[in-house]
Amino acid sequence: MRDDVRALVIEKMLDGKDVPDGEDLLISGLIDSLGVMRLVRLLEARFSITIPAEDVIFEHFASIDDLAAYVERRKAAG
């Protein structure tokens, strides 16, 4: 899962820029608030999940590690 999330973020959000999985994407300015909304749509489409508005919080979207863990939980929840 982490590799798929990583590939999506790097390709679609960071224009190929490689970053460590634990790097904070928001605080570093790599992804802004509009980018988060785009990322939500990309994750939903790629992983066939629904991300409710109340789940769009810093803790879920801070890093590739956090994103991968969140997507895994959403997929498991069905």
Side-chain angles (χ1 to χ4, degrees), residues 8-75:
L8 178 79
V9 170
I10 289 172
E11 178 185 333
K12 300 291 187 182
M13 300 299 300
L14 303 180
D15 295 323
K17 180 180 179 178
D18 193 23
V19 297
D21 289 350
E23 182 167 340
D24 193 305
L25 302 170
L26 303 172
I27 290 179
S28 68
L30 291 168
I31 297 178
D32 61 15
S33 57
L34 291 176
V36 169
M37 300 317 298
R38 180 172 174 232
L39 184 55
V40 166
R41 290 189 309 272
L42 290 168
L43 291 168
E44 288 179 328
R46 169 64 179 87
F47 298 104
S48 300
I49 59 173
T50 299
I51 300 174
E54 61 268 14
D55 280 3
V56 182
I57 58 175
F58 180 80
E59 289 81 8
H60 296 158
F61 288 82
S63 69
I64 290 171
D65 284 334
D66 296 327
L67 284 166
Y70 174 74
V71 170
E72 284 179 6
R73 287 192 305 273
R74 290 300 300 169
K75 295 235 9 129

